[in-house]
Amino acid sequence: MTRGVDPVALERDRMSTMLKGYDREMGALEGLAYTALQELATRISHQNTGRFSGDPVADRIMARVAADENLHMVFYRDAFGAALEVAPSAAVAALERQMLSFAMPGEGIAGFARKARSIAEAGIYDLRIHHDEIVQPLLKHWGIFEIPRLDAAGEAARERLQAFVTRLDETARRFTERRAARLDAARA
Ligand SMILES: [Fe+2]
């Protein structure tokens, strides 16, 4: 509406993304795990986009979109929670595969890496947010580290998941420090 972006370029990008489609090879358990992560990530990034827009109307629109994303997240989170009760070892293994390879569906968009970097640099969606607001709350909600009995494969997957979360936290800390240093340097 405000021509803050080039509407022709935006429409071309939209068409090319739709033409490419989206296909990620995965079974039902992995599909539920992936989608729970992705819907929560979408909710948080839409919310933050509105907040960072500096425009009260855009903020309200994005808050409304984020409220919808939350409903999607709750559905997949609870469906995966039910799967954990039925088949805990297989579900933990599926979750481990999806958490370690997680990428947003937008990864096929032209210039996605550059856009993801700008989004991280702005603090709309970065590793700290991914760790603190997506990965940790879901792991906690599902009680992944409290599930009493897993088979050998499930237990091994849970250990890899634990190591991944520790690594993610460490990488997020380094990213946040480097970003703060870049901001300081830009101000000086
Ligand atoms: Fe959604």
Side-chain angles (χ1 to χ4, degrees):
M1 297 290 282
T2 62
R3 306 258 154 170
V5 292
D6 178 351
V8 175
L10 186 65
E11 179 57 11
R12 292 218 170 105
D13 273 0
R14 190 191 69 78
M15 285 193 291
S16 93
T17 303
M18 296 309 286
L19 281 171
K20 242 181 256 156
Y22 180 70
D23 189 14
R24 223 178 125 102
E25 195 84 28
M26 62 176 95
L29 286 175
E30 291 193 44
L32 292 175
Y34 171 75
T35 316
L37 287 165
Q38 176 262 313
E39 296 292 349
L40 182 53
T42 308
R43 176 188 111 192
I44 302 286
S45 67
H46 286 346
Q47 225 166 18
N48 288 345
T49 301
R51 202 173 293 153
F52 281 60
S53 69
D55 180 321
V57 177
D59 192 17
R60 273 196 353 255
I61 292 171
M62 294 315 282
R64 182 66 190 83
V65 175
D68 265 0
E69 299 299 354
N70 192 50
L71 296 175
H72 308 165
M73 183 279 287
V74 168
F75 172 80
Y76 288 103
R77 183 197 63 191
D78 292 354
F80 185 76
L84 271 169
E85 281 174 31
V86 178
S89 295
V92 168
L95 178 63
E96 183 259 336
R97 284 192 294 275
Q98 290 305 314
M99 274 203 169
L100 268 64
S101 66
F102 183 77
M104 289 295 269
E107 68 178 323
I109 293 173
F112 181 77
R114 180 175 47 78
K115 286 170 183 160
R117 267 199 306 280
S118 311
I119 289 167
E121 203 61 23
I124 291 172
Y125 199 93
D126 57 22
L127 290 174
R128 176 49 60 210
I129 293 171
H130 188 62
H131 174 273
D132 290 4
E133 298 182 47
I134 285 84
V135 168
Q136 286 287 20
L138 284 174
L139 289 173
K140 204 165 167 216
H141 181 89
W142 288 320
I144 295 298
F145 298 110
E146 284 85 53
I147 299 169
R149 277 173 304 278
L150 292 178
D151 64 20
E155 200 52 69
R158 177 154 66 178
E159 277 164 26
R160 285 193 299 275
L161 199 50
Q162 177 72 76
F164 164 77
V165 175
T166 307
R167 237 169 25 241
L168 178 63
D169 187 36
E170 180 54 29
T171 313
R173 193 183 57 72
R174 283 202 307 274
F175 173 81
T176 309
E177 280 172 8
R178 282 202 302 268
R179 182 176 57 199
R182 278 196 296 278
L183 284 173
D184 280 349
R187 261 191 235 108

